[in-house]
Amino acid sequence: MEAGLAAGPEAASEAGAASEAEAAVVAEALRLLRIEPSAAGDPSRNALRKRRRWLRVLAARRGKRRQERQRRRARGPAEPVPPSLRRGRVPAALATERLLEARAAGPRLCVDLGVGGSMTEKESGRLASQIRRLYGANRRAARPFWLCLTEFAAGTPIYEQCFRMNDGFAGYLVRVWCGIGGELSPVLCILFRISQLLLLSLSQILQDINPDKVYVLGGLVDESIHKELTLRRAREQCLQTARLPIREYMVKAPNSRNYHSETLAINQVFDVLSTYYETQSWPAALRAGVSSGKGYVLPDTAEQVETPQCATAAQENSLFCGEELQRQEAPA
């Protein structure tokens, strides 16, 4: 009994000492984690510099948008967008009726897929995507073309990519020739006469759209690898050739990369042909199909393209120089 009474006070004292030690540890942790109000409300010099720079960037963007609005007002009301380039769905019955009329009496557009045998799988996927865009634009067109795909054989990469990437491709209203001819003319001569064929390539200028002609596009993507391949094959087969009048109606726009290219994707070429077929205006057609990234613009928009690029470069240079000046003038 006495031993138990003696052990009781000792245990109580040990428990009290442990609780005091824990309280000391907690107090020390709170002291280390405490943040002074003055330090929390006073941002560092680096944070202030970043905030000032961000505010200047926002101001430059607002100024750029304001200049763009002023340029649009100066140009006046925009030209009406041709029906072939308007967004939105066309009733299926109306699109089918127009395509069937084009098959009977409209101009033909043929995509020759026999020239792309050396394309990679990625390039074949890009070409399949371009075919989808081309077909969609043709369905929306008030005066569509009749489309034809030659050398579209099962088992080829472009065949697999078209069915994989394009929903409902089997229902496309196009004429498909699945034979492998090895050359351009033998395959197309089964469908059309040599005198009808007109290959779009770098050659003489295309003057007009003739419904009796068959306009042939080479199914290629990578212009650096397949440069002038279709033109060389057309010359070997004695086919007529023509090119879009980009040089005659457009000018080279100044850009930082000094990049200018007349090579267009097949859907861009179709946008040019379709718009011209509806409007009979080459400037409107080239505006619809030739993107600014190609480095060519119409003469009336050359200065408008140059101004935003120069303004953006000047703003970036001024921001950089301002930051350097502030860094040099800041006290050590």
Side-chain angles (χ1 to χ4, degrees):
M1 186 68 180
E2 293 177 357
L5 292 175
E10 293 177 1
S13 62
E14 291 177 0
S19 62
E20 290 178 0
E22 292 177 359
V25 171
V26 171
E28 181 64 18
L30 292 176
R31 187 184 67 81
L32 293 175
L33 294 175
R34 188 178 299 121
I35 301 176
E36 297 295 334
S38 59
D42 185 15
S44 64
R45 183 184 301 174
N46 188 33
L48 290 175
R49 185 168 62 251
K50 289 182 179 179
R51 179 174 177 79
R52 287 195 299 268
R53 185 181 186 279
W54 175 242
L55 291 177
R56 288 195 296 271
V57 169
L58 291 179
R61 290 179 180 176
R62 296 191 190 100
K64 184 178 179 180
R65 289 194 294 266
R66 185 166 55 253
Q67 293 175 2
E68 182 61 27
R69 288 194 297 269
Q70 294 174 355
R71 283 193 294 270
R72 286 199 297 266
R73 295 193 191 101
R75 287 198 299 264
E79 297 181 2
V81 180
S84 61
L85 300 178
R86 292 175 185 168
R87 294 294 181 183
R89 298 179 63 87
V90 175
L94 178 59
T96 301
E97 180 182 356
R98 291 174 177 174
L99 290 175
L100 294 178
E101 291 177 356
R103 181 175 64 178
R108 269 72 168 167
L109 183 72
C110 176
V111 180
D112 178 34
L113 301 176
V115 296
S118 58
M119 289 194 303
T120 63
E121 182 179 357
K122 181 178 180 180
E123 291 173 345
S124 297
R126 290 172 57 190
L127 179 58
S129 178
Q130 293 173 11
I131 293 175
R132 180 182 67 246
R133 296 192 187 101
L134 190 157
Y135 182 76
N138 194 46
R139 279 181 58 86
R140 295 191 299 270
R143 303 177 66 187
F145 286 59
W146 180 244
L147 303 181
C148 176
L149 304 178
T150 62
E151 302 200 26
F152 188 70
T156 58
I158 185 60
Y159 182 93
E160 302 295 338
Q161 292 291 346
C162 282
F163 280 93
R164 184 182 68 85
M165 300 184 63
N166 303 337
D167 294 336
F169 183 81
Y172 279 15
L173 287 177
V174 298
R175 187 171 186 179
V176 176
W177 178 258
C178 301
I180 299 295
E183 294 180 349
L184 188 62
S185 61
V187 177
L188 293 175
C189 282
I190 299 176
L191 304 176
F192 311 105
R193 297 189 305 272
I194 285 289
S195 59
Q196 291 181 284
L197 301 178
L198 179 64
L199 180 69
L200 293 176
S201 185
L202 299 178
S203 181
Q204 61 183 358
I205 305 172
L206 179 64
Q207 300 290 348
D208 201 358
I209 302 296
N210 187 353
D212 296 330
K213 291 290 185 180
V214 180
Y215 297 92
V216 183
L217 300 178
L220 298 173
V221 171
D222 195 327
E223 60 187 88
S224 63
I225 297 177
H226 309 292
K227 186 176 181 181
E228 296 186 356
L229 175 60
T230 54
L231 179 59
R232 185 171 61 254
R233 290 180 54 153
R235 288 173 176 172
E236 293 173 354
Q237 303 301 323
C238 299
L239 297 181
Q240 301 179 49
T241 58
R243 63 173 175 85
L244 299 178
I246 296 177
R247 307 171 196 170
E248 286 69 27
Y249 290 91
M250 308 187 81
V251 296
K252 292 183 178 181
N255 56 74
S256 57
R257 298 184 300 164
N258 193 27
Y259 174 77
H260 304 89
S261 175
E262 299 180 43
T263 304
L264 306 180
I266 60 172
N267 59 297
Q268 293 175 324
V269 175
F270 174 79
D271 289 341
V272 175
L273 296 177
S274 179
T275 305
Y276 178 79
Y277 191 48
E278 294 181 15
T279 63
Q280 297 297 306
S281 171
W282 281 118
L286 295 172
R287 180 183 291 110
V290 182
S291 64
S292 59
K294 293 295 181 179
Y296 282 90
V297 295
L298 294 173
D300 58 347
T301 59
E303 296 181 358
Q304 298 167 6
V305 172
E306 179 181 4
T307 302
Q309 295 177 349
C310 296
T312 303
Q315 290 168 3
E316 293 176 352
N317 291 336
S318 63
L319 291 176
F320 177 77
C321 295
E323 292 298 331
E324 290 294 329
L325 183 61
Q326 290 181 3
R327 189 178 296 109
Q328 294 175 4
E329 293 179 351

